[in-house]
Amino acid sequence: MYDVIVIGRDIGSLIAALATARFGLRTILVPEGGLLSEHREAGYCFPVDPMPLSGFGEGQAVDRLLGELNLPRDGFSPAPPLDPALQIILPENRLDLYRDPDRLIQDAIREFPKQGKEIRRFYHHLSIAESLIRQWMSEDDGGPADIKRSFLRLLRLPQAIARRAALLRNLADHTIRRVIQSQYRVLSHLDCGYRSMPLSSAHLLALSQRGIYHPYIRIDWMAWLCHEFTAAEGVLMESCSVIRVDTKPEIIVDVEGSGPPVSLRG
């Protein structure tokens, strides 16, 4: 009998299992086919997921996660972030996304000298919008909404609307819009018209400044998380597949592997 049964083979599943195990719950992780370290696209399998990794800086998501789980912050030390983090290549232009905002702006103006004023204005509004989003995120502890928090968000709503409008105004220039949309798509795999870009896109577009890491560290990161999970007495059940899940009247997960099927109860 387990307190928690986690089915999944990605980083999110592994972190969820690690969190419950660290909090003393008897946890089993069922990563069908093994923990995910490759990327599958259009029927092809690649040895590494190309999606950018971020959040390893001081005070960022990984640092906060390790603190909440009472894990050593120096337990996993990735290589320094990439700089430039990414390179946007269009038919006639190339833009390096540097970590330093001033250097990024200078490179953008070098590539698009006629839009210098618009570029500076766009990144100015982007910085303010991203700070607003980070403030919202820092205030959200995952608990239920209360009157005070709702009131503060209501007060900031006009500012949020104004910042989004300012960003969209600066994207009216076709050249800048192409670059930003390319960056947005690379960082999120999303392809949308610039008028439908949410304010939260500012947080995504500032990702290179917070730090983007080489995709290969995902393998080391998952290996370290897996080690901590088993050290917390979590159970890892690899090389199997789920054949049935039942939640009433009790949780039953039937899995099969090289041997006879096994029923996990929670």
Side-chain angles (χ1 to χ4, degrees):
M1 178 73 74
Y2 295 95
D3 298 313
V4 179
I5 301 174
V6 179
I7 303 173
R9 57 198 299 254
D10 58 355
I11 290 181
S13 302
L14 184 50
I15 290 176
L18 173 60
T20 56
R22 291 286 297 181
F23 288 134
L25 299 176
R26 191 159 186 258
T27 304
I28 184 170
L29 173 61
V30 185
E32 294 186 274
L35 289 170
L36 182 65
S37 60
E38 75 276 359
H39 176 69
R40 296 176 182 178
E41 187 80 30
Y44 295 94
C45 183
F46 300 91
V48 65
D49 189 334
M51 279 297 290
L53 278 179
S54 187
F56 291 94
E58 184 177 353
Q60 295 182 11
V62 172
D63 189 50
R64 296 197 302 271
L65 172 69
L66 297 180
E68 291 175 5
L69 298 181
N70 197 27
L71 289 169
R73 283 176 164 80
D74 58 352
F76 178 79
S77 301
L82 301 172
D83 196 17
L86 293 170
Q87 188 176 77
I88 303 297
I89 300 177
L90 298 174
E92 298 177 357
N93 305 102
R94 185 210 72 213
L95 178 64
D96 292 319
L97 302 182
Y98 292 101
R99 292 197 68 197
D100 179 57
D102 293 333
R103 192 176 180 188
L104 187 154
I105 292 172
Q106 290 172 7
D107 193 64
I109 294 175
R110 171 195 59 77
E111 197 68 24
F112 310 102
K114 294 182 179 180
Q115 286 82 22
K117 183 178 180 180
E118 290 81 1
I119 290 172
R120 292 186 184 277
R121 191 162 52 211
F122 173 80
Y123 281 104
H124 169 72
H125 290 296
L126 178 68
S127 175
I128 297 175
E130 201 267 338
S131 297
L132 178 64
I133 295 169
R134 277 193 287 109
Q135 186 176 11
W136 281 355
M137 294 173 63
S138 66
E139 294 171 350
D140 189 356
D141 57 4
D146 53 35
I147 295 177
K148 181 180 179 182
R149 185 185 303 171
S150 300
F151 182 68
L152 288 174
R153 288 182 176 177
L154 185 62
L155 288 177
R156 296 196 186 104
L157 186 59
Q159 183 182 5
I161 295 174
R163 290 304 163 195
R164 182 175 183 272
L167 288 173
L168 294 183
R169 278 198 305 271
N170 287 280
L171 285 177
D173 183 273
H174 177 69
T175 302
I176 299 177
R177 185 166 69 244
R178 283 198 307 160
V179 174
I180 297 303
Q181 283 182 308
S182 299
Q183 181 181 347
Y184 189 70
R185 187 172 185 181
V186 167
L187 293 174
S188 68
H189 280 190
L190 298 177
D191 186 14
C192 63
Y194 80 98
R195 293 193 180 278
S196 61
M197 290 176 65
L199 180 66
S200 58
S201 62
H203 190 67
L204 185 68
L205 293 172
L207 193 61
S208 61
Q209 295 163 38
R210 296 195 301 277
I212 292 179
Y213 297 80
H214 198 287
Y216 273 108
I217 74 165
R218 180 181 275 102
I219 299 174
D220 296 334
W221 173 230
M222 293 189 72
W224 185 80
L225 290 172
C226 187
H227 173 268
E228 293 299 325
F229 173 64
T230 54
E233 300 184 355
V235 178
L236 181 62
M237 190 174 189
E238 294 190 274
S239 303
C240 65
S241 60
V242 176
I243 56 178
R244 184 178 74 97
V245 176
D246 195 1
T247 59
K248 294 180 181 180
E250 62 179 342
I251 297 176
I252 301 177
V253 179
D254 292 337
V255 299
E256 64 177 357
S258 56
V262 177
S263 292
L264 306 174
R265 298 179 180 272

